[in-house]
Amino acid sequence: MNLDIGEGAKDVPIGFGLSLAMNEQAMERYSQMTETERKSWLLQAGQVKSKAEMMQLVNRMGETFR
Protein backbone atom coordinates (compact mmCIF):
# COMPACT_ATOMS: atom_id res chain seq x y z
CA MET A 1 0.00 0.00 0.00
CA ASN A 2 1.29 3.44 -0.91
CA LEU A 3 1.04 5.76 2.09
CA ASP A 4 1.57 8.95 0.09
CA ILE A 5 -1.51 11.07 0.77
CA GLY A 6 -0.28 14.00 -1.26
CA GLU A 7 0.27 17.65 -0.53
CA GLY A 8 -0.69 18.86 2.92
CA ALA A 9 0.02 15.52 4.59
CA LYS A 10 1.76 17.29 7.47
CA ASP A 11 -1.57 18.98 8.28
CA VAL A 12 -3.42 15.68 8.78
CA PRO A 13 -4.29 14.93 12.43
CA ILE A 14 -2.54 11.79 13.66
CA GLY A 15 -5.74 9.85 14.35
CA PHE A 16 -7.09 10.66 10.91
CA GLY A 17 -3.80 9.69 9.25
CA LEU A 18 -3.61 6.41 11.14
CA SER A 19 -7.20 5.58 10.22
CA LEU A 20 -6.47 6.36 6.57
CA ALA A 21 -3.44 4.06 6.71
CA MET A 22 -5.75 1.23 7.80
CA ASN A 23 -8.18 1.73 4.91
CA GLU A 24 -6.61 1.44 1.47
CA GLN A 25 -9.68 2.69 -0.41
CA ALA A 26 -9.99 5.76 1.79
CA MET A 27 -6.27 6.45 1.42
CA GLU A 28 -6.57 6.23 -2.35
CA ARG A 29 -9.63 8.50 -2.34
CA TYR A 30 -7.94 11.08 -0.10
CA SER A 31 -4.84 11.15 -2.30
CA GLN A 32 -7.00 12.03 -5.32
CA MET A 33 -9.05 14.78 -3.64
CA THR A 34 -8.85 18.46 -4.40
CA GLU A 35 -7.64 20.78 -1.66
CA THR A 36 -11.24 21.86 -1.00
CA GLU A 37 -12.41 18.26 -0.61
CA ARG A 38 -9.53 17.49 1.76
CA LYS A 39 -10.35 20.51 3.91
CA SER A 40 -13.96 19.36 4.17
CA TRP A 41 -12.92 15.91 5.40
CA LEU A 42 -10.36 17.40 7.78
CA LEU A 43 -13.04 19.63 9.29
CA GLN A 44 -15.20 16.56 9.84
CA ALA A 45 -12.23 14.71 11.36
CA GLY A 46 -11.77 17.61 13.78
CA GLN A 47 -15.29 17.04 15.11
CA VAL A 48 -14.71 13.36 15.89
CA LYS A 49 -14.76 12.42 19.56
CA SER A 50 -13.59 8.79 19.52
CA LYS A 51 -11.51 6.25 17.63
CA ALA A 52 -14.69 4.46 16.55
CA GLU A 53 -16.13 7.68 15.10
CA MET A 54 -12.87 8.31 13.23
CA MET A 55 -12.98 4.84 11.73
CA GLN A 56 -16.60 5.40 10.67
CA LEU A 57 -15.64 8.68 9.01
CA VAL A 58 -12.73 7.11 7.14
CA ASN A 59 -14.83 4.10 6.15
CA ARG A 60 -17.43 6.50 4.68
CA MET A 61 -14.68 8.15 2.70
CA GLY A 62 -13.53 4.81 1.36
CA GLU A 63 -17.07 3.85 0.38
CA THR A 64 -17.45 7.01 -1.70
CA PHE A 65 -14.43 5.88 -3.75
CA ARG A 66 -16.11 2.76 -5.14
Side-chain angles (χ1 to χ4, degrees):
M1 175 188 335
N2 181 1
L3 296 179
D4 180 11
I5 56 176
E7 291 294 317
K10 65 183 178 293
D11 299 325
V12 174
I14 190 74
F16 186 60
L18 290 173
S19 295
L20 280 175
M22 294 172 33
N23 185 318
E24 189 171 352
Q25 287 180 317
M27 175 77 73
E28 183 70 19
R29 171 70 181 110
Y30 190 81
S31 71
Q32 295 178 3
M33 287 181 183
T34 65
E35 185 65 27
T36 301
E37 290 172 319
R38 287 182 183 177
K39 286 181 181 180
S40 174
W41 283 98
L42 287 171
L43 285 172
Q44 292 177 66
Q47 302 297 314
V48 167
K49 305 248 188 290
S50 70
K51 182 178 178 180
E53 283 182 41
M54 185 65 77
M55 289 304 299
Q56 288 174 346
L57 176 69
V58 170
N59 288 340
R60 262 196 337 266
M61 182 191 305
E63 290 169 1
T64 64
F65 185 65
R66 294 180 188 163

